[in-house]
Amino acid sequence: MPTTVTTVSTGARVTQRTTHHDLSLHGRAGAILILILLCFLTFLISFTTSGWRTRLSGFYGTHLGLWEQCHAISSSSGHHLATQILMCLALVGVVVIVILVFLYLFATGISKYQVLLGLVITSFITFTLLLIAVIVFGVNVSYLGWSYGVACVSTILCLAAAIVAAMQLHNCLH
């Protein structure tokens, strides 16, 4: 909560408003940290694994990831390239979100409000990129695999983190 500090300078009374936040990992700040770390972990799993499309036939199967394929699956389609681009942009967003949450929770001497505002904006942008990526891939591919499901979970976690961070930002304003 913001506090007011009163100081006396050369006989005149001067009021300064300083921002001081008592952060606890038991409240919203802790929820933001947990959601963002889970989002980061699930994003990395989906980004690096080859189970975006899986089709099993007996003992053999075909697998398609963002970056590799097994057997003869054509991955040169426009939707696959669009998904790769969107996921790369989302990777940048997720890394920035992780940095911002650690700045918000553990850095001193910075404006917590501005860091939190940046966290909210970046989280919603990253959520939008992830949502578009999973929709573009999902509507154009049959036999969606487990990596795709993990990407969907990461998208939901990013939205949840953005909402909780927005609630924390709203709380800071009042």
Side-chain angles (χ1 to χ4, degrees):
M1 291 273 182
T3 59
T4 303
V5 177
T6 304
T7 59
V8 178
S9 174
T10 63
R13 190 173 174 106
V14 178
T15 303
Q16 297 175 333
R17 186 176 174 128
T18 61
T19 304
H20 172 72
H21 295 281
D22 293 322
L23 294 177
S24 168
L25 295 181
H26 298 292
R28 283 191 189 120
I32 294 168
L33 176 65
I34 290 168
L35 287 168
I36 288 175
L37 290 178
L38 287 173
C39 174
F40 181 70
L41 178 65
T42 55
F43 179 85
L44 285 181
I45 290 169
S46 70
F47 192 78
T48 59
T49 55
S50 64
W52 278 69
R53 177 181 179 217
T54 305
R55 184 171 185 194
L56 299 176
S57 175
F59 290 110
Y60 301 102
T62 55
H63 301 280
L64 172 67
L66 288 178
W67 313 110
E68 64 181 345
Q69 60 187 6
C70 299
H71 298 300
I73 298 176
S74 173
S75 64
S76 61
S77 61
H79 72 271
H80 190 85
L81 179 62
T83 303
Q84 287 176 324
I85 292 169
L86 289 166
M87 290 298 283
C88 285
L89 293 172
L91 174 63
V92 173
V94 168
V95 169
V96 169
I97 290 168
V98 169
I99 292 168
L100 287 173
V101 77
F102 279 103
L103 284 174
Y104 177 68
L105 291 173
F106 303 114
T108 58
I110 60 171
S111 171
K112 299 289 186 178
Y113 173 80
Q114 289 178 346
V115 173
L116 189 58
L117 179 62
L119 177 64
V120 169
I121 292 169
T122 307
S123 295
F124 277 113
I125 290 170
T126 303
F127 161 72
T128 303
L129 292 168
L130 286 169
L131 182 64
I132 294 170
V134 296
I135 288 173
V136 165
F137 193 86
V139 298
N140 289 296
V141 173
S142 56
Y143 305 107
L144 297 170
W146 67 272
S147 296
Y148 175 81
V150 174
C152 292
V153 170
S154 181
T155 303
I156 293 167
L157 289 168
C158 188
L159 175 62
I163 290 170
V164 174
M167 291 168 52
Q168 181 75 357
L169 182 67
H170 178 74
N171 200 34
C172 287
L173 294 174
H174 293 83

